[in-house]
Amino acid sequence: MNAIVFDHVSKDYGDVLAVDDVSLSIEPGKTVALLGPNGAGKSTSINMLLGLLRPSRGTVSVFGRTPRQAVAAGQMGAMLQSGQLIPELSVKELIDLVRKLYPEPLDLDEILKLADLTDLVKRRANKLSGGQSQRVRFALAIAGAPKALLLDEPTAAMDVESRLRFWESMRGYAAGGRTVLFATHYLEEADEHSDRVIVIARGKVVADGTAAQIKADVGGHAVRFTLGEQPAAGLDLLPGVTAVEVAAGTATLRTSDTDATLAGLYRGTTLDVRDLQLSGADLEDAFLALTRES
Amino acid sequence: MLYYAKTEALRMLRNRRYIIFVVLFPVVFYLINANIYGDQKDAGGVRMSTYLLVSMAAYGALASSMMSSAVPWAQERQSGWLRQLQITPLPSWAIIVTKLGAAMLLVLPSLLLVSAAAVLQQGVSMPAGQWLPLLLSLWIGTIPFIALGLFIGSLLSADAAQPAAMICMFALSLLGGLWFPIDAIGGTMRTLAHFMPSYHYANLGWNVIAGNGLPMSDVLIVVAWAVVLGGAAAYAYRRATVRA
């Protein structure tokens, strides 16, 4: 049975289509990144998975149940985008409060160790720094030992050091065979910390696979040159070209076959090609190409 | 759920505003007034020190009910803490019921401290047969006010809930005759007081100390208010937590 299934799910807010006919499934035990620019539908998807939002069409299921049933069974834990703590309570009190709401929670010590909070147990929430609060929120998300952990841009407010520690904590938790889905708009995070990357843009899934597959799919290479005032028409028809971008007089051609594209460029056009550069695409190029195309 | 109620109570006890306005204020107010008017007697021959005990205990309980419900609740809704709870196995009704229970627990300190001040400083004495119904009615009678607080907290943002709760609290205290006996004020105020749940609430206590027992009409009115405001709070809560 899949951990998470979206079956033709759409969600609209009035006229705005936040999630547009998304179908996907995630196997248990995987760590999956939901990668997309702001407003792509990441948070909406996560809130639907938690039963906080209802899909307008389609169904979402978690371990074969509805999201509300999975939540009631204590199978879900999450770090949502906004979420403050109760200022008057200590770290231990907050974690204990959430632990005791779940049927089979983790041990307090284990939570503290995973979230790197052992030194802060007695600290009141209003005396915590931003990064420390995030760690507490991570602790609350894992406190109930949920089988599915959802993280909505968990590192948004963290500095580099905190980020490193955070991903280490996340790996520690995922290592127990749990399913983790995290939303991010940082490419490196998706690349480094997940088994699979689902790229969404404007509510649609535009790519799905390992980071390496996505790079390859989009057209592994880019051909860049100075176009100047010359017309860009016809560039997209050159052999191998998957996408064309023109910005500030520079044309970038994404291509799956550099040789064919170059041959076409020199023999098939009368363009004056200057400052020619060739590069292998990185995930960032792939990401930009994907989210722009749609 | 019990632990949740306990932490709810604990956090308010650590809140300075709660301690000052809700716990200390009524006691200080009581001591000042009782030391000035304590030896006078009201129309029914009850010493003012006892009459004021009821007024101030009722005021403290009322203030506590509203303070520990409206604003914290509005804040939790806004800050995302409610969502954090909504994704735990805790059912949605349990959240609001726990809030009610914790708010009721938090009424006890001011109720008991005002009583203690009355006994210790003013030498107020009553048979247990009066203390018990007095404290119980003043305690359980806070349900409509807590419901009102939760209603406000579900409906308004934290910034708006603060003044709204304050205005309701002062209006209920003043117009309900908790600060000044309504007999001492004009006729309009007296008519107005009869529309206030707070008047009927305190009237439970005033009747007990006058030796009249619990007046059925006031009990029914307070219960009716509890049903109306409880219903409003439940409705507003559902609206606030509805899944769009």
Side-chain angles (χ1 to χ4, degrees):
Chain A
M1 184 182 33
N2 280 307
I4 290 170
V5 176
F6 274 60
D7 185 15
H8 294 286
V9 174
S10 297
K11 174 71 188 173
D12 38 37
Y13 301 104
D15 292 342
V16 184
L17 198 55
V19 171
D20 185 3
D21 195 30
V22 166
S23 291
L24 56 89
S25 51
I26 294 173
E27 295 161 51
K30 289 272 190 275
T31 298
V32 177
L34 197 57
L35 176 65
N38 288 328
K42 303 189 296 288
S43 294
T44 304
S45 301
I46 286 186
N47 283 329
M48 285 193 289
L49 266 172
L50 290 164
L52 293 170
L53 283 175
R54 244 195 294 256
S56 309
R57 286 170 296 285
T59 50
V60 176
S61 57
V62 185
F63 301 113
R65 313 179 191 210
T66 68
R68 286 316 296 175
Q69 286 168 340
V71 164
Q75 293 181 320
M76 311 284 276
M79 217 174 139
L80 297 172
Q81 244 186 49
S82 65
Q84 280 163 32
L85 306 165
I86 300 279
E88 296 95 349
L89 294 180
S90 72
V91 170
K92 177 183 182 300
E93 286 160 348
L94 284 164
I95 296 175
D96 263 338
L97 168 55
V98 174
R99 273 185 72 231
K100 285 172 200 250
L101 299 175
Y102 280 83
E104 289 166 38
L106 291 182
D107 285 337
L108 180 64
D109 289 336
E110 196 180 345
I111 298 169
L112 292 171
K113 215 167 81 192
L114 275 169
D116 196 9
L117 287 167
T118 311
D119 300 334
L120 297 170
V121 225
K122 293 204 172 118
R123 184 83 55 97
R124 294 256 178 101
N126 55 4
K127 301 254 161 60
L128 296 170
S129 73
Q132 290 166 342
S133 300
Q134 289 292 87
R135 265 145 65 197
V136 175
R137 294 184 48 223
F138 176 73
L140 299 182
I142 62 169
K147 279 161 74 184
L149 177 65
L150 309 179
L151 308 165
D152 194 357
E153 297 191 12
T155 60
M158 294 184 192
D159 57 29
V160 180
E161 159 84 25
S162 315
R163 263 179 211 179
L164 285 176
R165 286 161 81 173
F166 176 83
W167 290 115
E168 218 169 282
S169 303
M170 190 278 286
R171 283 227 185 88
Y173 188 76
R178 284 123 176 173
T179 311
V180 180
L181 177 69
F182 68 89
T184 180
H185 53 240
Y186 297 116
L187 301 149
E188 317 86 71
E189 288 192 341
D191 196 4
E192 285 168 31
H193 305 291
S194 67
D195 306 322
R196 171 178 165 197
V197 182
I198 298 171
V199 184
I200 63 172
R202 280 164 229 179
K204 282 186 188 295
V205 173
V206 293
D208 186 347
T210 62
Q213 282 166 352
I214 291 177
K215 286 178 212 170
D217 284 355
V218 172
H221 303 275
V223 174
R224 218 174 253 123
F225 60 91
T226 302
L227 188 64
E229 302 292 312
Q230 305 174 85
L235 288 178
D236 51 338
L237 300 175
L238 293 174
V241 170
T242 54
V244 177
E245 295 156 37
V246 179
T250 300
T252 305
L253 311 181
R254 313 243 159 243
T255 172
S256 51
D257 186 344
T258 320
D259 295 334
T261 304
L262 283 177
L265 186 62
Y266 284 111
R267 288 181 205 144
T269 73
T270 53
L271 293 172
D272 181 17
V273 176
R274 292 181 185 217
D275 309 325
L276 184 75
Q277 289 177 5
L278 304 178
S279 59
D282 53 14
L283 190 59
E284 174 136 12
D285 284 327
F287 176 64
L288 287 174
L290 283 167
T291 52
R292 223 172 268 174
E293 256 173 73
S294 55
Chain B
M1 205 171 140
L2 266 180
Y3 189 83
Y4 176 33
K6 196 187 114 188
T7 51
E8 278 291 317
L10 197 64
R11 68 175 279 221
M12 284 310 286
L13 291 175
R14 287 179 186 162
N15 183 314
R16 227 172 277 149
R17 211 182 312 165
Y18 166 82
I19 294 293
I20 293 171
F21 282 95
V22 173
V23 181
L24 295 180
F25 227 58
V27 175
V28 171
F29 230 55
Y30 172 76
L31 288 176
I32 293 171
N33 277 307
N35 278 294
I36 301 173
Y37 309 109
D39 290 332
Q40 297 175 14
K41 297 204 167 164
D42 74 356
V46 174
R47 274 185 71 210
M48 280 308 277
S49 55
T50 316
Y51 180 90
L52 284 167
L53 152 65
V54 174
S55 307
M56 283 303 116
Y59 162 67
L62 171 68
S64 170
S65 308
M66 309 265 320
M67 291 279 287
S68 57
S69 55
V71 178
W73 178 234
Q75 277 168 349
E76 283 165 36
R77 237 171 14 86
Q78 265 182 325
S79 73
W81 178 253
L82 171 63
R83 297 201 136 202
Q84 187 75 54
L85 290 178
Q86 279 183 300
I87 57 175
T88 69
L90 186 69
S92 176
W93 60 264
I95 299 177
I96 196 85
V97 170
T98 305
K99 284 262 154 202
L100 177 75
M104 282 187 75
L105 273 182
L106 288 163
V107 164
L108 292 174
S110 62
L111 211 54
L112 297 177
L113 274 175
V114 173
S115 304
V119 172
L120 297 174
Q121 211 265 334
Q122 289 290 314
V124 169
S125 71
M126 266 184 268
Q130 282 186 6
W131 272 119
L132 203 66
L134 174 67
L135 292 177
L136 271 180
S137 61
L138 287 184
W139 186 43
I140 296 169
T142 53
I143 290 176
F145 308 115
I146 297 170
L148 176 62
L150 292 174
F151 176 67
I152 293 171
S154 290
L155 220 55
L156 302 176
S157 71
D159 286 341
Q162 172 87 38
M166 281 293 198
I167 289 168
C168 286
M169 183 185 93
F170 285 128
L172 285 167
S173 307
L174 190 64
L175 300 179
L178 305 186
W179 286 347
F180 312 102
I182 57 160
D183 295 334
I185 321 173
T188 333
M189 291 286 274
R190 207 171 314 166
T191 323
L192 215 52
H194 285 274
F195 288 103
M196 292 287 142
S198 48
Y199 169 75
H200 297 284
Y201 163 65
N203 208 26
L204 299 172
W206 289 323
N207 273 286
V208 169
I209 56 168
N212 302 337
L214 286 173
M216 221 38 206
S217 60
D218 289 317
V219 170
L220 287 177
I221 292 171
V222 172
V223 169
W225 274 107
V227 170
V228 170
L229 291 171
Y235 170 76
Y237 175 67
R238 282 185 67 105
R239 234 192 58 160
T241 54
V242 80
R243 292 170 287 131

